[in-house]
Every structure is written in C-alpha cells, then in structure tokens.
Amino acid sequence: MDPALVLRPLDAGDLDLICTHRRLMFGESGRPAEVLAAMADPFRAWLTPRLADGSYFGWAIESGGDVVAGLGMMVIDWPPHPSHPTDGRRGYILNVFVDPLHRGRGLAKRLMAEAEAEAERRGLSYLILHATKAGRPLYEGLGWDATSEMAKLLPISR
Amino acid sequence: MDPALVLRPLDAGDLDLICTHRRLMFGESGRPAEVLAAMADPFRAWLTPRLADGSYFGWAIESGGDVVAGLGMMVIDWPPHPSHPTDGRRGYILNVFVDPLHRGRGLAKRLMAEAEAEAERRGLSYLILHATKAGRPLYEGLGWDATSEMAKLLPISR
C-alpha cells in the first residue's frame, strides 16, 4: 500500500463515516434513494451502541487525514456448522467502501487482509459477507466463494 | 396436508430430534461423517439454552406419534438493510428435514408456510436460509431467491 496511506481501527467517532459508506455502497449497487433514506436513521441507531461497545469494529484508511476507505466487521452468533463444527460463531464483513478516486490501488485488499488477520486473532475460522456485483471479482480473487444462501421478502414489507 | 399428520410447535423436549435432523440433513448434502461427528456436541450445547428460552423455535409434523418432519427458526440481529430498512432483524430458517419415507407429500411446504406465518406475526419482513442442492427447487418454487452471500474458510480451521 502507498506509504502516504495510513490504516487505523474504527472508533466511536466514526459513526457518520460508517453511515456514509453504507449509503454510498448500497447506492452504487443500485438500491433506490428512498430506501436508503428510510434505512439511514434506523441504521445509525442500530450502529451507535455496537460501535461504542466494540461489537461492530473495523478499519479505515486515511490519506492526508481524510478517510478514503473503510471496512466493518462483527462476530455473529451462529449454530455450529460443518464449516465451523466446534465454534458457534462466524465473522461477518460489511460496509466495505473505497472512495472512487482511490480505487485500483489495493485499498479494499488491504482492508480485507486486516479483517482476516483479526479473524485469526479471534480464532474465527469462517467468514461471510454479501458482495455487490462490483465487489464480487475482488472477493473471488481473495479466495471467497458464493454460498447457498437464499432470501424471501415478505408482503408485509411492501 | 394429509389429515393423519399433525403439526405442532417444537419444545425443549425436541433437543435430540433437532440434533438428528441437522445431522441427517447435512449428511444427505454430502458433508463428511467426521465433520458431523465433530459438530454434534457443540451444536447440542449451542441449541440447549436457545431451545429452552425460545430463541430457537419451530415446528414438527407427526404421523402416528412419530415426528416425520421438522423446521427450525430464529430471529437474528442484523443491521437495517435495503431489504428491511427500518428493522434490525431478519428471520433465519434452518434444519429443515423430512423423513425420506414421507417426501413428496408437501410436508416441507407446510412447514415453510408455518414459518412465513410466524414471521408475519412477529413483523419480520425478510427471511433467509441456506439451501441444500436438493432443497433449492422447493424454495425457488416458494418465491425464494439466491443472495449474494460469499464465504471464506480460513486456514486456522483446517
């Protein structure tokens, strides 16, 4: 990574930043602006205590004092599973965002390496994420594979 | 559904049953026996308190007093997301299993209808599951779609 870039952990002061990254990420992936507007306050309210207590953690990369990339992570409770048979946890990576002006410089790769190193420090053996179409080739190149997850949106939400 | 079949909620007495269903389901999907053996005690230990406090719930279908099908469900904490912008929860369906002698009679479909009805009662608008290859066509027929989830197994677990 360019030596002018500095990687640091996220902290409680990064609340706005993470909210912005989440909105920009989903906006680029084609989610409607009105849905992202509806999500904004609930996501902020959800994130605030989790960022404060460290259950949401991650890293930012700064360039000249400005954050130009970020990645969030959580340890989630999950039933012991063939992919992690003796552990009731999996790591979840979310809100990966790189400023458009800084793409193609390996920043997402650097953040993903940090997330994997942290997973190993915490003894996590299985990580998941949800990829945008644009992000997928990066993750495939880093050894990630599609899972069999399926979803259904119920009429109640429409 | 055949009127000789009885649907009932799972309860704490179904611990063994759920463990058996999980093992059989993953066994049929091709997971190695030694991995399923390693998972058995950790899964039981994980499930015991959650089944007791109702955070793991679900339904069984009985035929002449024998359970011939089952489905488990959880409400999981999840960041508000474009698919559920104002709600920090999603429903998770797991351990869907139908006794081989009772397949093709609509039992999985009946259990899934119960899960969706329960989701609506709880105000959940977005449900997820992980499909085995054999289960996937059923879920597709019920309106479920593949998500963009990806996973990575870290070297630590090998």
PDB file of all heavy atoms in Angstrom, chain A residues 136-150:
ATOM      1  N   ARG A 136     -17.677  -8.427  -6.176  1.00  0.00           N
ATOM      2  CA  ARG A 136     -17.526  -9.883  -6.267  1.00  0.00           C
ATOM      3  C   ARG A 136     -16.185 -10.379  -6.842  1.00  0.00           C
ATOM      4  O   ARG A 136     -15.566 -11.286  -6.266  1.00  0.00           O
ATOM      5  CB  ARG A 136     -18.719 -10.443  -7.056  1.00  0.00           C
ATOM      6  CG  ARG A 136     -18.732 -11.940  -7.060  1.00  0.00           C
ATOM      7  CD  ARG A 136     -20.025 -12.494  -7.648  1.00  0.00           C
ATOM      8  NE  ARG A 136     -19.838 -13.915  -7.821  1.00  0.00           N
ATOM      9  CZ  ARG A 136     -20.687 -14.847  -7.424  1.00  0.00           C
ATOM     10  NH1 ARG A 136     -21.815 -14.477  -6.861  1.00  0.00           N
ATOM     11  NH2 ARG A 136     -20.422 -16.114  -7.611  1.00  0.00           N
ATOM     12  N   PRO A 137     -15.721  -9.807  -7.977  1.00  0.00           N
ATOM     13  CA  PRO A 137     -14.443 -10.302  -8.526  1.00  0.00           C
ATOM     14  C   PRO A 137     -13.283 -10.141  -7.539  1.00  0.00           C
ATOM     15  O   PRO A 137     -12.408 -11.013  -7.456  1.00  0.00           O
ATOM     16  CB  PRO A 137     -14.229  -9.441  -9.781  1.00  0.00           C
ATOM     17  CG  PRO A 137     -15.596  -8.959 -10.162  1.00  0.00           C
ATOM     18  CD  PRO A 137     -16.330  -8.780  -8.858  1.00  0.00           C
ATOM     19  N   LEU A 138     -13.277  -9.058  -6.793  1.00  0.00           N
ATOM     20  CA  LEU A 138     -12.232  -8.864  -5.781  1.00  0.00           C
ATOM     21  C   LEU A 138     -12.250 -10.012  -4.782  1.00  0.00           C
ATOM     22  O   LEU A 138     -11.209 -10.624  -4.487  1.00  0.00           O
ATOM     23  CB  LEU A 138     -12.465  -7.528  -5.044  1.00  0.00           C
ATOM     24  CG  LEU A 138     -11.625  -7.344  -3.776  1.00  0.00           C
ATOM     25  CD1 LEU A 138     -10.203  -6.931  -4.126  1.00  0.00           C
ATOM     26  CD2 LEU A 138     -12.244  -6.315  -2.832  1.00  0.00           C
ATOM     27  N   TYR A 139     -13.438 -10.311  -4.245  1.00  0.00           N
ATOM     28  CA  TYR A 139     -13.535 -11.352  -3.218  1.00  0.00           C
ATOM     29  C   TYR A 139     -13.178 -12.721  -3.795  1.00  0.00           C
ATOM     30  O   TYR A 139     -12.501 -13.521  -3.147  1.00  0.00           O
ATOM     31  CB  TYR A 139     -14.931 -11.359  -2.587  1.00  0.00           C
ATOM     32  CG  TYR A 139     -15.298 -10.019  -1.982  1.00  0.00           C
ATOM     33  CD1 TYR A 139     -16.440  -9.332  -2.355  1.00  0.00           C
ATOM     34  CD2 TYR A 139     -14.463  -9.418  -1.040  1.00  0.00           C
ATOM     35  CE1 TYR A 139     -16.761  -8.099  -1.816  1.00  0.00           C
ATOM     36  CE2 TYR A 139     -14.769  -8.174  -0.496  1.00  0.00           C
ATOM     37  CZ  TYR A 139     -15.919  -7.522  -0.887  1.00  0.00           C
ATOM     38  OH  TYR A 139     -16.222  -6.295  -0.350  1.00  0.00           O
ATOM     39  N   GLU A 140     -13.615 -12.974  -5.014  1.00  0.00           N
ATOM     40  CA  GLU A 140     -13.265 -14.254  -5.650  1.00  0.00           C
ATOM     41  C   GLU A 140     -11.740 -14.383  -5.745  1.00  0.00           C
ATOM     42  O   GLU A 140     -11.186 -15.442  -5.473  1.00  0.00           O
ATOM     43  CB  GLU A 140     -13.904 -14.355  -7.037  1.00  0.00           C
ATOM     44  CG  GLU A 140     -15.390 -14.656  -6.954  1.00  0.00           C
ATOM     45  CD  GLU A 140     -16.123 -14.616  -8.290  1.00  0.00           C
ATOM     46  OE1 GLU A 140     -15.581 -14.027  -9.262  1.00  0.00           O
ATOM     47  OE2 GLU A 140     -17.240 -15.130  -8.368  1.00  0.00           O
ATOM     48  N   GLY A 141     -11.100 -13.288  -6.081  1.00  0.00           N
ATOM     49  CA  GLY A 141      -9.644 -13.299  -6.195  1.00  0.00           C
ATOM     50  C   GLY A 141      -8.949 -13.521  -4.861  1.00  0.00           C
ATOM     51  O   GLY A 141      -7.797 -13.951  -4.813  1.00  0.00           O
ATOM     52  N   LEU A 142      -9.659 -13.240  -3.777  1.00  0.00           N
ATOM     53  CA  LEU A 142      -9.095 -13.423  -2.432  1.00  0.00           C
ATOM     54  C   LEU A 142      -9.523 -14.758  -1.814  1.00  0.00           C
ATOM     55  O   LEU A 142      -9.321 -14.994  -0.623  1.00  0.00           O
ATOM     56  CB  LEU A 142      -9.548 -12.275  -1.516  1.00  0.00           C
ATOM     57  CG  LEU A 142      -9.048 -10.872  -1.904  1.00  0.00           C
ATOM     58  CD1 LEU A 142      -9.686  -9.810  -0.992  1.00  0.00           C
ATOM     59  CD2 LEU A 142      -7.520 -10.782  -1.813  1.00  0.00           C
ATOM     60  N   GLY A 143     -10.132 -15.626  -2.631  1.00  0.00           N
ATOM     61  CA  GLY A 143     -10.450 -16.967  -2.142  1.00  0.00           C
ATOM     62  C   GLY A 143     -11.839 -17.136  -1.560  1.00  0.00           C
ATOM     63  O   GLY A 143     -12.123 -18.131  -0.887  1.00  0.00           O
ATOM     64  N   TRP A 144     -12.715 -16.172  -1.814  1.00  0.00           N
ATOM     65  CA  TRP A 144     -14.096 -16.282  -1.321  1.00  0.00           C
ATOM     66  C   TRP A 144     -14.961 -16.993  -2.357  1.00  0.00           C
ATOM     67  O   TRP A 144     -14.780 -16.829  -3.552  1.00  0.00           O
ATOM     68  CB  TRP A 144     -14.670 -14.892  -1.048  1.00  0.00           C
ATOM     69  CG  TRP A 144     -14.030 -14.192   0.105  1.00  0.00           C
ATOM     70  CD1 TRP A 144     -12.744 -13.719   0.167  1.00  0.00           C
ATOM     71  CD2 TRP A 144     -14.627 -13.910   1.373  1.00  0.00           C
ATOM     72  NE1 TRP A 144     -12.510 -13.154   1.395  1.00  0.00           N
ATOM     73  CE2 TRP A 144     -13.653 -13.259   2.156  1.00  0.00           C
ATOM     74  CE3 TRP A 144     -15.891 -14.134   1.913  1.00  0.00           C
ATOM     75  CZ2 TRP A 144     -13.905 -12.836   3.451  1.00  0.00           C
ATOM     76  CZ3 TRP A 144     -16.145 -13.715   3.202  1.00  0.00           C
ATOM     77  CH2 TRP A 144     -15.162 -13.070   3.963  1.00  0.00           C
ATOM     78  N   ASP A 145     -15.950 -17.753  -1.866  1.00  0.00           N
ATOM     79  CA  ASP A 145     -16.873 -18.471  -2.745  1.00  0.00           C
ATOM     80  C   ASP A 145     -18.318 -18.122  -2.414  1.00  0.00           C
ATOM     81  O   ASP A 145     -18.647 -17.863  -1.249  1.00  0.00           O
ATOM     82  CB  ASP A 145     -16.716 -19.987  -2.568  1.00  0.00           C
ATOM     83  CG  ASP A 145     -15.358 -20.466  -3.036  1.00  0.00           C
ATOM     84  OD1 ASP A 145     -15.016 -20.237  -4.202  1.00  0.00           O
ATOM     85  OD2 ASP A 145     -14.633 -21.062  -2.210  1.00  0.00           O
ATOM     86  N   ALA A 146     -19.173 -18.204  -3.418  1.00  0.00           N
ATOM     87  CA  ALA A 146     -20.610 -17.990  -3.201  1.00  0.00           C
ATOM     88  C   ALA A 146     -21.145 -19.076  -2.276  1.00  0.00           C
ATOM     89  O   ALA A 146     -20.711 -20.225  -2.327  1.00  0.00           O
ATOM     90  CB  ALA A 146     -21.352 -18.027  -4.534  1.00  0.00           C
ATOM     91  N   THR A 147     -22.081 -18.723  -1.412  1.00  0.00           N
ATOM     92  CA  THR A 147     -22.739 -19.718  -0.558  1.00  0.00           C
ATOM     93  C   THR A 147     -24.112 -20.050  -1.156  1.00  0.00           C
ATOM     94  O   THR A 147     -24.508 -19.506  -2.189  1.00  0.00           O
ATOM     95  CB  THR A 147     -22.973 -19.197   0.875  1.00  0.00           C
ATOM     96  OG1 THR A 147     -24.064 -18.266   0.867  1.00  0.00           O
ATOM     97  CG2 THR A 147     -21.725 -18.545   1.441  1.00  0.00           C
ATOM     98  N   SER A 148     -24.845 -20.894  -0.446  1.00  0.00           N
ATOM     99  CA  SER A 148     -26.182 -21.325  -0.892  1.00  0.00           C
ATOM    100  C   SER A 148     -27.283 -20.495  -0.243  1.00  0.00           C
ATOM    101  O   SER A 148     -28.437 -20.918  -0.213  1.00  0.00           O
ATOM    102  CB  SER A 148     -26.375 -22.790  -0.527  1.00  0.00           C
ATOM    103  OG  SER A 148     -26.380 -22.919   0.904  1.00  0.00           O
ATOM    104  N   GLU A 149     -26.936 -19.313   0.280  1.00  0.00           N
ATOM    105  CA  GLU A 149     -27.967 -18.526   0.959  1.00  0.00           C
ATOM    106  C   GLU A 149     -29.074 -18.109  -0.005  1.00  0.00           C
ATOM    107  O   GLU A 149     -28.815 -17.737  -1.148  1.00  0.00           O
ATOM    108  CB  GLU A 149     -27.370 -17.267   1.615  1.00  0.00           C
ATOM    109  CG  GLU A 149     -28.374 -16.582   2.562  1.00  0.00           C
ATOM    110  CD  GLU A 149     -27.866 -15.271   3.150  1.00  0.00           C
ATOM    111  OE1 GLU A 149     -27.505 -14.356   2.370  1.00  0.00           O
ATOM    112  OE2 GLU A 149     -27.828 -15.143   4.382  1.00  0.00           O
ATOM    113  N   MET A 150     -30.316 -18.184   0.478  1.00  0.00           N
ATOM    114  CA  MET A 150     -31.470 -17.696  -0.269  1.00  0.00           C
ATOM    115  C   MET A 150     -32.263 -16.778   0.663  1.00  0.00           C
ATOM    116  O   MET A 150     -32.119 -16.844   1.882  1.00  0.00           O
ATOM    117  CB  MET A 150     -32.363 -18.859  -0.724  1.00  0.00           C
ATOM    118  CG  MET A 150     -31.647 -19.844  -1.624  1.00  0.00           C
ATOM    119  SD  MET A 150     -32.734 -21.192  -2.219  1.00  0.00           S
ATOM    120  CE  MET A 150     -33.555 -20.359  -3.594  1.00  0.00           C
TER     121      MET A 150
END
